[in-house]
Each structure stands twice: as C-alpha cells, then as structure tokens.
Amino acid sequence: MSTIEKPKPHIYEYIMISLALLVPVPGRLSYGLVLILEMNLLMLTGTLFCHFIHYLHFDALQDMLVAVFLIFMSVLFKQFIILYSPLVALTLGFQIYLPAVSSFILGNLYEAQMSSLLEDVKKNMIRSGEFSLFAFIMFLFRDIFGYGSISLPYPKGVLELIFIKDFKYSFIGAFWASIPGALMFTALVVILLSHIENKFDIIKTIKSEEEDAE
C-alpha cells in the first residue's frame, strides 16, 4: 500500500514564512531585496545575540530577550531605509517588521544553543540563504510577469528596468502581481520542493539498502 509522504518540517516553515513575509508584500523585486537583506541581517545578529545570552547565563530569558532584540534591530533597520529611500520605507510600512518573525522561526532562535558559535552561524545563514533564494525567485517572477520589469530600490523610490511594454495579456500579469497570484506561486513552489526532496529521500534509502545488502 502506498503512503502519502508528509512534508518535511522546514517545508512547513517555508509555508508560514511565505504567508507572513512574501505574500502580503507588493510584488516588486525592489521591496523584496530590502526584506531579504533585513532577514539575513537579523539572522546573523540574532544568532550572535543568542550566544551572548548563553555566555551571560540568561538562557531562561532567551525567548523574550531575542524577541526584543529582533524588534530593536528591525526599528534600527527601518531608520536606515528611511534615510536611504523614504518612499520604500513608507510603502513597506509595518511589513518591514515581518523579517523579525521570519528569522526567529527559520533560525530556531528560540531554542537553546547547543553548538559552537561558528556552527550555529553557518547553519542559520545557510537556512536563511536558501529561503532568500526562494524569496528572490518569487519576487523576480512577480516583478517580471506582473509588471513587465525588474525594479531596484532607489533613493527616490523604485528604479524600473522595463522589459515588456504593452503586454497583450496584461490581465495575466495583474494576477501574478496580486495576493492570490502570490499564494498560487508559493503553493506551486512548495509542492515542487516537497516532491524533489521526497525523490532525494528515495535515492538515499535505495543507496542505504544497497550498502546494507553488501
């Protein structure tokens, strides 16, 4: 009897973070790059801060202290974005605080640190980098097929590099630029990732059985 493969735990994390961080944000690469940069910054500083807490033997207060620290870093990051591009900061609004939640979940910053500092930084930044690639592809796709351009953050707002002018089926682009389009794209990518991972698991299982048989 065949069994249905359950998604891996980090697939659930991708779904949660995508719904919180990627779907509600305008589908422009310019805004996505800002949030991706912020998430990676929070992941790095959050990991360092966790080890600082452990060094001070404040492990019992880790959840609260890390949450406050990530919010503080988000506020500080927003001030730099305001200085660079007030329009980008205004457009993102409250959404600029969402990477704090994403990095908290993705990096397991709420768990007690059991590894060395270098190992934890490496592990968390790899996970952050993997999700950043996923987020970059999603924002790039929505920007190109939703607006016919690639946009970059710019002091005066958004710098557009237009590729598609007078797109015949512009209504399709409008769908990918919308929240329902972002939800569909996220669902398709998560299904694809889960399918690929299951295939790799099958290959590993077969190799393991062959080695045991030898």
Coordinates of all heavy atoms in Angstrom, one line a residue, residues 33-118:
L33 N 14.1 42.8 -2.1 CA 15.5 42.9 -1.8 C 15.8 43.5 -0.4 O 16.6 43.1 0.3 CB 16.3 43.7 -2.9 CG 16.4 43.0 -4.3 CD1 17.1 43.9 -5.3 CD2 17.2 41.7 -4.1
V34 N 15.0 44.5 -0.1 CA 15.1 45.2 1.2 C 14.8 44.2 2.3 O 15.5 44.1 3.3 CB 14.1 46.4 1.3 CG1 14.1 46.9 2.7 CG2 14.6 47.5 0.3
L35 N 13.7 43.4 2.1 CA 13.3 42.5 3.2 C 14.2 41.3 3.3 O 14.5 40.8 4.4 CB 11.8 42.0 2.9 CG 10.7 43.0 3.0 CD1 9.4 42.4 2.7 CD2 10.7 43.7 4.3
I36 N 14.8 40.8 2.1 CA 15.7 39.7 2.1 C 17.0 40.2 2.9 O 17.6 39.4 3.7 CB 16.0 39.3 0.7 CG1 14.8 38.6 0.1 CG2 17.3 38.3 0.7 CD1 15.0 38.3 -1.4
L37 N 17.5 41.4 2.6 CA 18.6 41.9 3.3 C 18.4 42.0 4.8 O 19.2 41.6 5.6 CB 19.0 43.3 2.7 CG 20.1 44.0 3.4 CD1 21.4 43.3 3.3 CD2 20.3 45.4 2.8
E38 N 17.2 42.5 5.1 CA 16.9 42.6 6.5 C 16.9 41.3 7.2 O 17.4 41.1 8.4 CB 15.6 43.4 6.7 CG 15.2 43.5 8.2 CD 13.8 44.1 8.3 OE1 13.1 44.4 7.3 OE2 13.4 44.3 9.5
M39 N 16.2 40.3 6.6 CA 16.1 39.0 7.2 C 17.5 38.4 7.5 O 17.7 37.8 8.5 CB 15.3 38.1 6.3 CG 14.9 36.7 7.0 SD 14.0 35.6 5.9 CE 15.3 35.2 4.7
N40 N 18.4 38.5 6.5 CA 19.7 37.9 6.7 C 20.5 38.6 7.8 O 21.2 38.0 8.5 CB 20.5 37.9 5.4 CG 20.0 36.8 4.4 OD1 20.5 35.7 4.5 ND2 19.1 37.2 3.5
L41 N 20.3 40.0 7.8 CA 21.0 40.7 8.9 C 20.4 40.3 10.3 O 21.2 40.1 11.2 CB 20.7 42.2 8.7 CG 21.2 43.2 9.8 CD1 22.8 43.1 9.8 CD2 20.8 44.6 9.5
L42 N 19.1 40.1 10.4 CA 18.5 39.7 11.6 C 19.0 38.3 12.0 O 19.2 38.0 13.2 CB 17.0 39.8 11.6 CG 16.4 41.2 11.4 CD1 14.9 41.1 11.3 CD2 16.8 42.1 12.6
M43 N 19.1 37.5 11.0 CA 19.5 36.1 11.3 C 20.9 36.1 11.9 O 21.2 35.4 12.9 CB 19.5 35.3 10.0 CG 19.8 33.8 10.2 SD 18.6 32.9 11.2 CE 17.4 32.6 9.9
L44 N 21.8 36.8 11.3 CA 23.2 36.9 11.7 C 23.3 37.5 13.1 O 23.9 36.9 14.0 CB 24.1 37.7 10.7 CG 25.5 37.9 11.1 CD1 26.2 36.6 11.3 CD2 26.2 38.8 10.1
T45 N 22.7 38.7 13.3 CA 22.8 39.3 14.6 C 22.1 38.6 15.7 O 22.5 38.6 16.8 CB 22.3 40.8 14.5 OG1 21.0 40.8 14.0 CG2 23.2 41.6 13.6
G46 N 20.9 38.0 15.3 CA 20.1 37.2 16.2 C 20.9 36.0 16.8 O 20.8 35.7 17.9
T47 N 21.6 35.3 15.9 CA 22.4 34.2 16.3 C 23.5 34.6 17.2 O 23.8 33.9 18.2 CB 23.0 33.5 15.0 OG1 22.0 33.1 14.1 CG2 23.8 32.2 15.4
L48 N 24.2 35.7 16.9 CA 25.3 36.2 17.8 C 24.7 36.6 19.1 O 25.3 36.3 20.2 CB 25.9 37.4 17.1 CG 26.7 37.1 15.8 CD1 27.2 38.4 15.2 CD2 27.8 36.1 16.0
F49 N 23.5 37.2 19.1 CA 22.9 37.6 20.4 C 22.5 36.4 21.2 O 22.6 36.5 22.5 CB 21.7 38.5 20.1 CG 21.1 39.1 21.3 CD1 21.7 40.2 22.0 CD2 19.8 38.7 21.8 CE1 21.2 40.7 23.1 CE2 19.3 39.3 22.9 CZ 19.9 40.3 23.6
C50 N 22.0 35.4 20.6 CA 21.7 34.1 21.4 C 22.9 33.6 22.1 O 22.8 33.2 23.3 CB 21.1 33.1 20.4 SG 19.4 33.4 19.9
H51 N 24.0 33.6 21.4 CA 25.2 33.1 22.1 C 25.7 34.1 23.2 O 26.3 33.6 24.2 CB 26.3 32.9 21.1 CG 26.2 31.5 20.4 ND1 26.9 30.4 20.8 CD2 25.5 31.2 19.3 CE1 26.6 29.4 20.0 NE2 25.7 29.8 19.1
F52 N 25.5 35.3 23.0 CA 25.8 36.3 24.0 C 24.9 36.1 25.3 O 25.4 36.2 26.4 CB 25.6 37.7 23.5 CG 25.9 38.8 24.5 CD1 27.1 39.1 24.9 CD2 24.8 39.6 25.0 CE1 27.4 40.1 25.8 CE2 25.1 40.6 25.9 CZ 26.4 40.8 26.3
I53 N 23.6 35.8 25.1 CA 22.8 35.5 26.2 C 23.2 34.2 26.9 O 23.2 34.2 28.1 CB 21.3 35.3 25.7 CG1 20.7 36.6 25.2 CG2 20.4 34.7 26.8 CD1 19.4 36.4 24.5
H54 N 23.6 33.2 26.1 CA 24.1 32.0 26.7 C 25.4 32.2 27.5 O 25.6 31.6 28.6 CB 24.4 30.9 25.6 CG 24.9 29.6 26.1 ND1 24.1 28.7 26.9 CD2 26.1 29.0 26.0 CE1 24.8 27.7 27.2 NE2 26.0 27.8 26.7
Y55 N 26.3 33.1 27.0 CA 27.5 33.5 27.7 C 27.2 34.1 29.0 O 27.9 33.9 30.0 CB 28.3 34.4 26.8 CG 29.6 34.9 27.5 CD1 30.7 34.0 27.6 CD2 29.7 36.2 28.0 CE1 31.9 34.5 28.2 CE2 30.9 36.6 28.6 CZ 32.0 35.8 28.7 OH 33.1 36.3 29.3
L56 N 26.1 34.9 29.1 CA 25.8 35.6 30.3 C 24.9 34.7 31.3 O 24.5 35.2 32.3 CB 25.0 36.9 30.0 CG 25.8 38.0 29.3 CD1 24.9 39.2 29.0 CD2 27.0 38.4 30.0
H57 N 24.6 33.5 30.8 CA 23.8 32.6 31.6 C 22.3 33.1 31.8 O 21.7 32.9 32.9 CB 24.4 32.3 32.9 CG 25.8 31.7 32.8 ND1 26.0 30.4 32.3 CD2 27.0 32.2 33.1 CE1 27.4 30.2 32.3 NE2 28.0 31.3 32.8
F58 N 21.8 33.7 30.7 CA 20.4 34.2 30.8 C 19.5 33.4 29.9 O 18.5 33.8 29.3 CB 20.3 35.7 30.3 CG 20.9 36.7 31.3 CD1 21.3 38.0 30.8 CD2 21.1 36.4 32.6 CE1 21.8 38.9 31.7 CE2 21.6 37.3 33.5 CZ 22.0 38.6 33.0
D59 N 19.8 32.1 29.9 CA 19.1 31.2 29.0 C 17.6 31.2 29.3 O 16.8 31.0 28.3 CB 19.6 29.7 29.1 CG 21.0 29.6 28.6 OD1 21.6 30.7 28.1 OD2 21.6 28.6 28.7
A60 N 17.2 31.3 30.5 CA 15.8 31.3 30.9 C 15.0 32.4 30.3 O 13.8 32.4 30.1 CB 15.6 31.3 32.4
L61 N 15.7 33.5 29.9 CA 15.0 34.7 29.4 C 15.3 34.8 27.9 O 15.0 35.9 27.3 CB 15.6 36.0 30.1 CG 15.4 36.1 31.6 CD1 16.1 37.3 32.1 CD2 13.9 36.1 31.9
Q62 N 15.8 33.8 27.3 CA 16.2 33.8 25.9 C 15.1 34.3 24.9 O 15.2 35.2 24.1 CB 16.8 32.5 25.4 CG 17.2 32.5 23.9 CD 18.0 31.3 23.5 OE1 18.9 30.9 24.3 NE2 17.7 30.8 22.4
D63 N 13.9 33.6 25.0 CA 12.8 33.9 24.1 C 12.4 35.4 24.2 O 12.3 36.1 23.1 CB 11.6 33.1 24.5 CG 11.7 31.6 24.2 OD1 12.8 31.3 23.6 OD2 10.8 30.9 24.5
M64 N 12.3 36.0 25.4 CA 11.9 37.4 25.5 C 13.0 38.3 25.0 O 12.7 39.3 24.3 CB 11.6 37.7 27.0 CG 11.1 39.1 27.2 SD 10.9 39.5 28.9 CE 12.6 39.4 29.5
L65 N 14.2 38.0 25.4 CA 15.3 38.9 25.0 C 15.6 38.9 23.5 O 15.8 40.0 22.9 CB 16.6 38.5 25.8 CG 16.6 38.7 27.3 CD1 17.9 38.1 27.9 CD2 16.5 40.2 27.6
V66 N 15.5 37.7 22.9 CA 15.7 37.6 21.5 C 14.6 38.4 20.7 O 14.9 39.1 19.7 CB 15.8 36.2 21.0 CG1 15.8 36.1 19.5 CG2 17.1 35.5 21.6
A67 N 13.4 38.2 21.2 CA 12.3 38.9 20.5 C 12.4 40.4 20.6 O 12.3 41.1 19.6 CB 10.9 38.5 21.2
V68 N 12.8 40.9 21.8 CA 13.0 42.4 21.9 C 14.2 42.8 21.1 O 14.2 43.9 20.4 CB 13.3 42.7 23.4 CG1 13.8 44.2 23.6 CG2 12.1 42.4 24.3
F69 N 15.3 42.0 21.0 CA 16.4 42.4 20.2 C 16.1 42.5 18.7 O 16.5 43.4 18.0 CB 17.5 41.4 20.4 CG 18.8 41.6 19.6 CD1 19.7 42.6 19.9 CD2 19.0 40.8 18.4 CE1 20.8 42.8 19.1 CE2 20.1 41.0 17.6 CZ 21.0 42.0 18.0
L70 N 15.3 41.5 18.2 CA 15.0 41.5 16.8 C 14.1 42.7 16.5 O 14.2 43.3 15.4 CB 14.3 40.2 16.5 CG 15.1 38.9 16.5 CD1 14.3 37.7 16.2 CD2 16.3 39.0 15.5
I71 N 13.2 43.0 17.4 CA 12.3 44.2 17.1 C 13.2 45.5 17.1 O 13.0 46.3 16.2 CB 11.2 44.3 18.2 CG1 10.2 43.1 18.1 CG2 10.5 45.6 18.1 CD1 9.2 43.1 19.2
F72 N 14.1 45.5 18.0 CA 15.0 46.7 18.1 C 15.8 46.8 16.8 O 16.0 47.9 16.2 CB 16.0 46.6 19.3 CG 17.2 47.5 19.2 CD1 17.0 48.8 19.5 CD2 18.4 47.0 18.8 CE1 18.1 49.7 19.4 CE2 19.5 47.9 18.8 CZ 19.4 49.2 19.1
M73 N 16.4 45.7 16.3 CA 17.1 45.7 15.1 C 16.3 46.1 13.9 O 16.7 46.7 12.9 CB 17.8 44.3 14.8 CG 18.9 44.0 15.8 SD 20.3 45.2 15.7 CE 20.8 44.9 14.0
S74 N 15.0 45.6 13.9 CA 14.1 46.0 12.8 C 13.8 47.5 12.8 O 13.8 48.1 11.7 CB 12.8 45.2 13.0 OG 13.0 43.8 12.9
V75 N 13.6 48.1 14.0 CA 13.4 49.5 14.0 C 14.6 50.3 13.6 O 14.5 51.2 12.8 CB 13.0 49.9 15.5 CG1 13.0 51.4 15.6 CG2 11.7 49.3 15.9
L76 N 15.8 49.8 14.0 CA 17.0 50.4 13.5 C 17.2 50.3 12.0 O 17.6 51.3 11.4 CB 18.2 49.8 14.3 CG 19.6 50.4 14.0 CD1 19.6 51.8 14.5 CD2 20.7 49.6 14.7
F77 N 16.9 49.1 11.5 CA 17.0 48.9 10.0 C 16.0 49.8 9.3 O 16.4 50.4 8.2 CB 16.7 47.4 9.7 CG 16.8 47.1 8.3 CD1 18.1 46.8 7.7 CD2 15.7 47.1 7.4 CE1 18.2 46.5 6.4 CE2 15.9 46.8 6.1 CZ 17.1 46.5 5.6
K78 N 14.8 50.0 9.8 CA 13.9 50.9 9.2 C 14.4 52.3 9.1 O 14.1 53.0 8.1 CB 12.5 50.8 9.9 CG 11.4 51.6 9.2 CD 10.1 51.5 9.8 CE 9.0 52.2 9.0 NZ 7.7 52.0 9.6
Q79 N 15.1 52.8 10.2 CA 15.6 54.1 10.2 C 16.6 54.3 9.0 O 16.6 55.4 8.4 CB 16.2 54.4 11.5 CG 15.3 54.3 12.7 CD 14.0 55.0 12.5 OE1 13.9 56.2 12.2 NE2 12.9 54.3 12.7
F80 N 17.4 53.3 8.8 CA 18.4 53.4 7.7 C 17.7 53.4 6.3 O 18.1 54.1 5.4 CB 19.4 52.2 7.7 CG 20.4 52.4 8.8 CD1 20.4 51.6 9.9 CD2 21.5 53.3 8.6 CE1 21.4 51.8 10.9 CE2 22.5 53.5 9.5 CZ 22.5 52.7 10.7
I81 N 16.6 52.6 6.2 CA 15.8 52.6 5.0 C 15.2 54.0 4.8 O 15.1 54.5 3.6 CB 14.8 51.5 5.0 CG1 15.5 50.1 5.0 CG2 13.9 51.6 3.8 CD1 16.4 49.9 3.9
I82 N 14.7 54.6 5.8 CA 14.1 55.9 5.7 C 15.1 56.9 5.2 O 14.8 57.8 4.4 CB 13.5 56.3 7.1 CG1 12.2 55.5 7.4 CG2 13.1 57.8 7.1 CD1 11.7 55.7 8.8
L83 N 16.3 56.8 5.7 CA 17.4 57.7 5.3 C 17.7 57.5 3.8 O 18.0 58.4 3.1 CB 18.6 57.5 6.2 CG 18.5 58.0 7.6 CD1 19.8 57.6 8.4 CD2 18.3 59.5 7.7
Y84 N 17.7 56.2 3.4 CA 18.1 55.9 2.0 C 16.9 56.2 1.0 O 17.1 56.8 0.0 CB 18.5 54.4 1.9 CG 18.8 54.0 0.5 CD1 19.9 54.4 -0.1 CD2 17.9 53.2 -0.2 CE1 20.2 54.0 -1.4 CE2 18.1 52.8 -1.5 CZ 19.3 53.2 -2.1 OH 19.6 52.8 -3.4
S85 N 15.7 55.7 1.4 CA 14.6 55.9 0.5 C 13.3 56.0 1.3 O 12.7 54.9 1.6 CB 14.5 54.8 -0.5 OG 13.4 54.9 -1.3
P86 N 12.8 57.2 1.7 CA 11.6 57.3 2.4 C 10.4 56.7 1.8 O 9.5 56.1 2.5 CB 11.4 58.8 2.5 CG 12.8 59.4 2.3 CD 13.5 58.5 1.4
L87 N 10.3 56.7 0.4 CA 9.2 56.1 -0.3 C 9.2 54.6 -0.1 O 8.1 54.0 0.1 CB 9.3 56.4 -1.7 CG 8.1 56.0 -2.6 CD1 6.8 56.5 -2.0 CD2 8.3 56.4 -4.1
V88 N 10.3 53.9 -0.2 CA 10.4 52.5 0.0 C 9.9 52.1 1.5 O 9.1 51.2 1.7 CB 11.8 51.9 -0.2 CG1 11.9 50.5 0.2 CG2 12.1 52.1 -1.7
A89 N 10.4 52.9 2.4 CA 10.0 52.6 3.8 C 8.5 52.9 4.0 O 7.9 52.1 4.8 CB 10.8 53.6 4.8
L90 N 8.0 53.9 3.4 CA 6.6 54.2 3.5 C 5.7 53.1 2.9 O 4.7 52.7 3.4 CB 6.3 55.5 2.9 CG 4.8 56.0 2.9 CD1 4.3 56.2 4.4 CD2 4.6 57.3 2.1
T91 N 6.2 52.6 1.7 CA 5.4 51.6 1.0 C 5.4 50.3 1.8 O 4.4 49.6 1.9 CB 6.0 51.3 -0.4 OG1 6.0 52.5 -1.1 CG2 5.2 50.3 -1.1
L92 N 6.5 49.9 2.4 CA 6.6 48.7 3.2 C 5.8 48.8 4.5 O 5.2 47.8 4.9 CB 8.1 48.3 3.5 CG 8.9 47.8 2.3 CD1 10.3 47.6 2.6 CD2 8.3 46.5 1.7
G93 N 5.9 50.0 5.1 CA 5.2 50.2 6.3 C 5.4 49.1 7.4 O 6.6 48.8 7.7
F94 N 4.4 48.6 8.0 CA 4.5 47.6 9.0 C 5.2 46.3 8.5 O 5.8 45.6 9.4 CB 3.1 47.3 9.6 CG 3.2 46.3 10.7 CD1 3.6 46.7 12.0 CD2 2.8 44.9 10.5 CE1 3.6 45.7 13.1 CE2 2.9 44.0 11.6 CZ 3.2 44.4 12.8
Q95 N 5.2 46.1 7.3 CA 5.7 44.8 6.7 C 7.2 44.7 6.9 O 7.8 43.6 6.8 CB 5.4 44.7 5.2 CG 3.9 44.5 5.0 CD 3.5 44.8 3.5 OE1 4.2 45.5 2.8 NE2 2.4 44.3 3.1
I96 N 7.9 45.8 7.2 CA 9.3 45.8 7.4 C 9.7 45.1 8.7 O 10.8 44.8 9.0 CB 9.9 47.3 7.4 CG1 11.3 47.3 6.9 CG2 9.7 47.9 8.7 CD1 11.9 48.6 6.6
Y97 N 8.7 44.9 9.6 CA 8.9 44.2 10.8 C 8.7 42.7 10.7 O 9.0 41.9 11.6 CB 8.0 44.7 11.9 CG 8.2 46.2 12.2 CD1 7.3 47.1 11.8 CD2 9.4 46.6 12.9 CE1 7.5 48.5 12.1 CE2 9.6 48.0 13.1 CZ 8.6 48.9 12.7 OH 8.8 50.2 13.0
L98 N 8.2 42.2 9.6 CA 7.9 40.8 9.4 C 9.2 39.9 9.3 O 9.1 38.8 9.8 CB 7.1 40.6 8.1 CG 5.7 41.2 8.1 CD1 5.0 41.0 6.8 CD2 4.9 40.7 9.3
P99 N 10.3 40.4 8.8 CA 11.5 39.6 8.8 C 12.0 39.2 10.2 O 12.6 38.2 10.4 CB 12.6 40.5 8.1 CG 11.8 41.3 7.2 CD 10.5 41.6 7.9
A100 N 11.6 40.0 11.2 CA 11.9 39.6 12.6 C 11.3 38.3 13.0 O 11.9 37.4 13.6 CB 11.5 40.7 13.5
V101 N 10.0 38.1 12.6 CA 9.3 36.9 12.9 C 9.9 35.7 12.1 O 10.1 34.6 12.5 CB 7.8 37.0 12.6 CG1 7.1 35.7 12.9 CG2 7.2 38.2 13.4
S102 N 10.2 36.0 10.8 CA 10.7 35.0 9.9 C 12.0 34.5 10.4 O 12.3 33.3 10.4 CB 10.8 35.6 8.5 OG 9.6 36.1 8.0
S103 N 12.9 35.4 10.7 CA 14.3 34.9 11.2 C 14.2 34.2 12.5 O 14.9 33.2 12.7 CB 15.2 36.1 11.3 OG 14.7 37.1 12.2
F104 N 13.2 34.6 13.3 CA 13.0 33.9 14.6 C 12.6 32.5 14.4 O 13.1 31.5 15.1 CB 11.9 34.7 15.4 CG 11.8 34.2 16.9 CD1 12.7 34.6 17.8 CD2 10.8 33.4 17.2 CE1 12.6 34.2 19.1 CE2 10.6 32.9 18.5 CZ 11.5 33.3 19.5
I105 N 11.7 32.2 13.4 CA 11.3 30.9 13.2 C 12.3 30.1 12.4 O 12.6 28.9 12.7 CB 9.9 30.9 12.4 CG1 8.8 31.6 13.3 CG2 9.5 29.5 12.0 CD1 7.5 31.8 12.6
L106 N 12.8 30.7 11.3 CA 13.7 30.0 10.4 C 15.0 29.5 11.0 O 15.5 28.5 10.8 CB 14.0 30.9 9.2 CG 14.7 30.2 8.0 CD1 13.8 29.1 7.4 CD2 15.0 31.2 6.9
G107 N 15.5 30.4 11.9 CA 16.8 30.1 12.5 C 16.7 29.4 13.9 O 17.7 29.1 14.5
N108 N 15.4 29.1 14.3 CA 15.2 28.4 15.6 C 15.9 29.2 16.7 O 16.6 28.6 17.6 CB 15.7 27.0 15.6 CG 14.9 26.1 14.7 OD1 13.7 26.3 14.5 ND2 15.5 25.1 14.1
L109 N 15.8 30.5 16.7 CA 16.5 31.4 17.7 C 15.8 31.3 19.0 O 16.4 31.8 20.0 CB 16.5 32.8 17.2 CG 17.1 33.1 15.8 CD1 17.1 34.6 15.5 CD2 18.6 32.6 15.9
Y110 N 14.7 30.6 19.1 CA 14.0 30.4 20.4 C 14.6 29.1 21.1 O 14.2 28.9 22.2 CB 12.5 30.3 20.2 CG 12.1 29.3 19.1 CD1 12.0 27.9 19.4 CD2 11.9 29.7 17.8 CE1 11.7 27.0 18.4 CE2 11.6 28.8 16.8 CZ 11.5 27.4 17.1 OH 11.1 26.5 16.2
E111 N 15.4 28.4 20.4 CA 15.9 27.1 21.1 C 17.3 27.4 21.7 O 18.0 28.3 21.3 CB 16.1 26.0 20.0 CG 14.8 25.6 19.4 CD 15.0 24.4 18.4 OE1 16.2 24.1 18.1 OE2 14.0 23.9 17.9
A112 N 17.6 26.6 22.8 CA 18.9 26.8 23.4 C 20.0 26.4 22.5 O 19.9 25.4 21.7 CB 18.9 25.9 24.7
Q113 N 21.1 27.2 22.5 CA 22.2 27.0 21.5 C 23.1 25.8 22.1 O 23.6 26.0 23.2 CB 23.0 28.2 21.4 CG 22.2 29.4 20.8 CD 21.6 29.1 19.5 OE1 22.3 28.7 18.6 NE2 20.3 29.4 19.3
M114 N 23.2 24.8 21.3 CA 24.0 23.6 21.8 C 25.3 23.5 21.0 O 26.2 22.8 21.5 CB 23.1 22.3 21.6 CG 21.8 22.3 22.4 SD 22.0 22.5 24.2 CE 22.9 21.0 24.5
S115 N 25.4 24.1 19.9 CA 26.6 24.0 19.0 C 27.5 25.2 19.3 O 27.2 26.1 20.0 CB 26.2 24.0 17.6 OG 25.3 22.9 17.3
S116 N 28.6 25.2 18.6 CA 29.6 26.3 18.8 C 29.0 27.5 18.0 O 28.1 27.4 17.2 CB 30.9 25.9 18.2 OG 30.9 25.7 16.8
L117 N 29.6 28.7 18.2 CA 29.1 29.9 17.6 C 29.3 29.8 16.1 O 28.3 30.1 15.3 CB 29.9 31.1 18.1 CG 29.6 32.4 17.4 CD1 28.2 32.8 17.5 CD2 30.5 33.5 18.0
L118 N 30.4 29.3 15.6 CA 30.7 29.2 14.2 C 29.7 28.2 13.5 O 29.2 28.5 12.4 CB 32.1 28.7 14.0 CG 32.6 28.6 12.5 CD1 32.4 30.0 11.8 CD2 34.0 28.1 12.4

